[in-house]
Amino acid sequence: MKPVKSLIRRSPVVITPKESLIQAAEMLAAESIGALVVIDPVTQKKPLAVLSERDIVRAVAMKMPLSTPVEAFMSPGLVTIEEDEDVCKAAKLMTMHNIRHLVVVNKQGELVGVVSIRDVLKELGEKC
């Protein structure tokens, strides 16, 4: 089976914790993606969390101002996978944690990319 890094199709789209929900929503829409990686504003390489469309919907449902910082709604408990791990492991992690986006890191824990459930299913579907 292929390494998970082979599924990465583009550079990750990132945001910092202090940026606003409206900035996040604009980025998601402009990039046609479902999640942003929240990164450490100092190193710009270390992923801290994921902010998904679902997180923004939750904020809107709570009637939060769109000026609210991303850090208030980013998903806690970041799940990552190292870039050389197998695609099957990615599928297991996504299923185990009920997530649709998995952050890919290198051995130093630095952001490499993101794979979506669609990426993983497409790869596994070719094997079925």
Side-chain angles (χ1 to χ4, degrees):
M1 188 65 61
K2 289 182 179 179
V4 74
K5 69 181 169 190
S6 70
L7 302 183
I8 298 171
R9 307 272 183 252
R10 61 188 292 178
S11 297
V13 181
V14 300
I15 195 163
T16 60
K18 300 292 184 195
E19 290 181 81
S20 69
L21 291 174
I22 190 67
Q23 289 171 299
E26 289 169 348
M27 291 170 77
L28 290 171
E31 298 288 338
S32 297
I33 55 175
L36 301 169
V37 179
V38 183
I39 57 167
D40 180 318
V42 176
T43 68
Q44 299 281 311
K45 293 180 182 180
K46 184 175 189 278
L48 302 174
V50 170
L51 183 80
S52 70
E53 293 168 319
R54 288 179 179 182
D55 296 322
I56 294 175
V57 168
R58 188 168 40 95
V60 170
M62 294 172 67
K63 300 189 181 1
M64 297 299 294
L66 292 177
S67 59
T68 302
V70 162
E71 64 190 347
F73 283 90
M74 59 191 194
S75 298
L78 180 65
V79 179
T80 64
I81 189 168
E82 284 191 10
E83 62 188 337
D84 294 324
E85 291 285 350
D86 191 84
V87 172
C88 285
K89 182 173 181 182
K92 289 175 185 174
L93 282 171
M94 294 172 104
T95 301
M96 183 186 329
H97 295 281
N98 194 29
I99 56 176
R100 297 183 297 166
H101 299 90
L102 189 57
V103 175
V104 181
V105 296
N106 61 21
K107 296 222 182 285
Q108 293 75 39
E110 298 171 338
L111 180 62
V112 172
V114 176
V115 293
S116 71
I117 190 71
R118 182 179 298 131
D119 299 326
V120 172
L121 286 174
K122 184 176 178 189
E123 176 62 26
L124 294 177
E126 292 174 1
K127 307 297 182 227
C128 296

